[in-house]
Amino acid sequence: MSDRKYMQLAIELAEKARGFTSPNPLVGAVIVKEDRIIGRGYHEKCGQLHAERNALTSCTENPQGAVMYVTLEPCCHYGRTPPCTEAIIKSGISKVFIGSRDPNPLVSGKGVDVLRDAGIEVTTDFMKEECDSINPVFFHYITQKTPYVVMKYAMTIDGKIATATGASKWITGEKSRENVHRDRHHYTAIMVGTGTVIKDDPLLTCRIPGGTNPIRIICDTKLSIPVTAKVITTTKEAATIIATACTDQQRQRPYLDQGCRIIEVPKDADGHLSLPRLMKALAENGIDSILLEGGGTLNWSALKAGIVNRVQTYIAPKIFGGADAKTPVGGPGVTLPSQAYKLRSQKMISIGDDILIESEVVPCSQEL
């Protein structure tokens, strides 16, 4: 096998832990000696051994003189686990191929230096683009100190998220809905507004076997959602955070009694919650990623606030029509085409009869 094949295997190993490592990155490692794979491992869960140590533990023979392929720069500091550089040096490995650089200031470049100072040959940025692609959440969270936000919506081919009467179940097929539940497992939290809770009374949980329920975040400026809503009464099943501008302790008490957490957030100039302030507060609470499943009003507010990093657009081969039928992004919208929020790096995937388009949001595109 070639060096690229070994690193590709490390990437595939890393992907196995998606949804379990937050707020840590996805990392995979493969150890090769004389063209034989003698060890492999990945970071399986936050707080457990890192990929490098799992790979070393799994070795079928002495790794002295072997080569390690690891998707992310090995750590060189004491955190929940000891430094991986220490274990690599002690093992006698002679060469390390590293994919992504770690943006964490505690590690960035230092892990490479430690290995080289110990006499280990290090190749950096090997298949960097492929390795970087598995950790956009981690890179954003570490560098920006805010959650990575994915705005997801399902619409008909004529751009409607509901009929003129408000009916919306179901626009996409079963396979697309299964994919959404996988993403609910992948991301730490899910966020909606009061309109979604009042209209649909959703659970907002992950319904795939072995999946992890996301933390449910409800943007409720006036604290007006019913205390009987499912997201309030099921906090033992999945945690619920209510973001509100209401500071009245008596109004908050019924929600707190149900087990909800409340984060007080000031209003913005439009009288809505300040989403940038909310993102900072959520990051301080360890939330590194959010699947935004709101309606048109919240979607517009999120775009306007500049908190959206990626857009997932599910398109069903259906036409609803109707001048009053709702579209994915509401609000006043932009006034000129040149002010549009621009997207890039589109990826198109067929899911059953539907199409999923994934795009990155160009930062501050409306100002360029």
Side-chain angles (χ1 to χ4, degrees):
M1 290 173 65
S2 66
D3 293 329
R4 291 188 64 85
K5 292 283 188 180
Y6 292 130
M7 184 62 87
Q8 182 59 44
L9 176 56
I11 292 172
E12 292 168 7
L13 287 168
E15 285 283 2
K16 289 185 175 184
R18 189 170 292 281
F20 295 107
T21 64
S22 172
N24 287 354
L26 297 170
V27 187
V30 173
I31 300 173
V32 178
K33 189 172 185 178
E34 297 175 356
D35 292 326
R36 302 187 313 278
I37 295 175
I38 64 169
R40 63 184 79 193
Y42 60 98
H43 181 42
E44 298 176 15
K45 192 174 183 179
C46 182
Q48 296 184 3
L49 291 179
H50 290 183
E52 300 93 325
R53 287 183 176 269
N54 277 330
L56 287 167
T57 301
S58 76
C59 280
T60 55
E61 59 182 276
N62 192 329
Q64 182 79 33
V67 179
M68 175 180 282
Y69 300 81
V70 61
T71 58
L72 183 70
E73 181 179 2
C75 66
C76 54
H77 67 291
Y78 281 87
R80 291 186 177 92
T81 59
C84 288
T85 51
E86 184 179 278
I88 294 170
I89 295 168
K90 187 176 179 180
S91 73
I93 280 176
S94 62
K95 184 173 183 178
V96 178
F97 283 85
I98 296 173
S100 300
R101 303 290 186 104
D102 193 331
N104 187 337
L106 294 173
V107 181
S108 186
K110 298 173 185 175
V112 172
D113 290 342
V114 169
L115 294 177
R116 284 177 173 159
D117 289 345
I120 297 174
E121 182 182 349
V122 180
T123 298
T124 57
D125 299 330
F126 185 75
M127 292 179 63
K128 182 180 185 300
E129 184 176 346
E130 293 91 333
C131 291
D132 284 356
S133 69
I134 65 176
N135 279 311
V137 168
F138 175 71
F139 294 151
H140 177 87
Y141 182 64
I142 288 293
T143 59
Q144 303 301 313
K145 304 293 191 294
T146 57
Y148 185 87
V149 178
V150 178
M151 186 174 79
K152 166 261 166 186
Y153 55 82
M155 68 180 191
T156 60
I157 205 165
D158 61 332
K160 308 296 184 181
I161 62 171
T163 66
T165 65
S168 60
K169 294 184 179 179
W170 294 102
I171 293 176
T172 53
E174 186 175 342
K175 290 184 177 180
S176 289
R177 297 197 294 274
E178 288 176 359
N179 198 60
V180 170
H181 282 281
R182 280 192 288 273
D183 278 339
R184 288 184 180 182
H185 163 70
H186 292 162
Y187 297 107
T188 302
I190 182 171
M191 188 165 80
V192 300
T194 54
T196 297
V197 174
I198 292 171
K199 176 180 176 292
D200 299 331
D201 193 21
L203 270 173
L204 302 178
T205 52
C206 171
R207 293 190 282 278
I208 60 172
T212 303
N213 284 327
I215 297 170
R216 300 171 298 189
I217 302 167
I218 315 302
C219 293
D220 187 358
T221 306
K222 300 177 181 178
L223 202 55
S224 59
I225 59 173
V227 181
T228 55
K230 291 175 183 175
V231 292
I232 306 300
T233 61
T234 59
T235 54
K236 290 183 179 179
E237 181 180 348
T240 297
I241 294 174
I242 302 176
T244 182
C246 176
T247 59
D248 187 326
Q249 300 298 304
Q250 289 187 327
R251 289 271 302 280
Q252 293 181 7
R253 178 49 53 191
Y255 302 95
L256 294 170
D257 288 344
Q258 290 276 21
C260 298
R261 294 169 58 197
I262 291 180
I263 294 179
E264 294 179 5
V265 183
K267 295 180 183 179
D268 61 19
D270 296 326
H272 301 300
L273 292 180
S274 171
L275 293 179
R277 293 284 292 273
L278 174 58
M279 293 302 107
K280 289 186 180 297
L282 292 173
E284 290 169 0
N285 280 270
I287 294 175
D288 64 348
S289 56
I290 296 172
L291 186 62
L292 177 60
E293 290 197 26
T297 301
L298 183 56
N299 286 348
W300 167 254
S301 296
L303 281 170
K304 185 179 178 184
I307 68 167
V308 181
N309 302 103
R310 177 174 292 184
V311 177
Q312 288 185 331
T313 306
Y314 289 85
I315 303 175
K318 302 174 183 177
I319 295 176
F320 282 173
D324 297 327
K326 292 184 177 180
T327 57
V329 181
V334 300
T335 55
L336 297 170
S338 59
Q339 298 172 331
Y341 294 85
K342 296 180 177 63
L343 307 177
R344 65 186 176 196
S345 303
Q346 285 88 357
K347 181 171 67 173
M348 189 177 298
I349 307 166
S350 292
I351 304 179
D353 293 331
D354 307 320
I355 294 173
L356 169 61
I357 301 177
E358 293 190 321
S359 314
E360 295 177 7
V361 178
V362 178
C364 301
S365 60
Q366 71 276 19
E367 298 176 6
L368 294 179

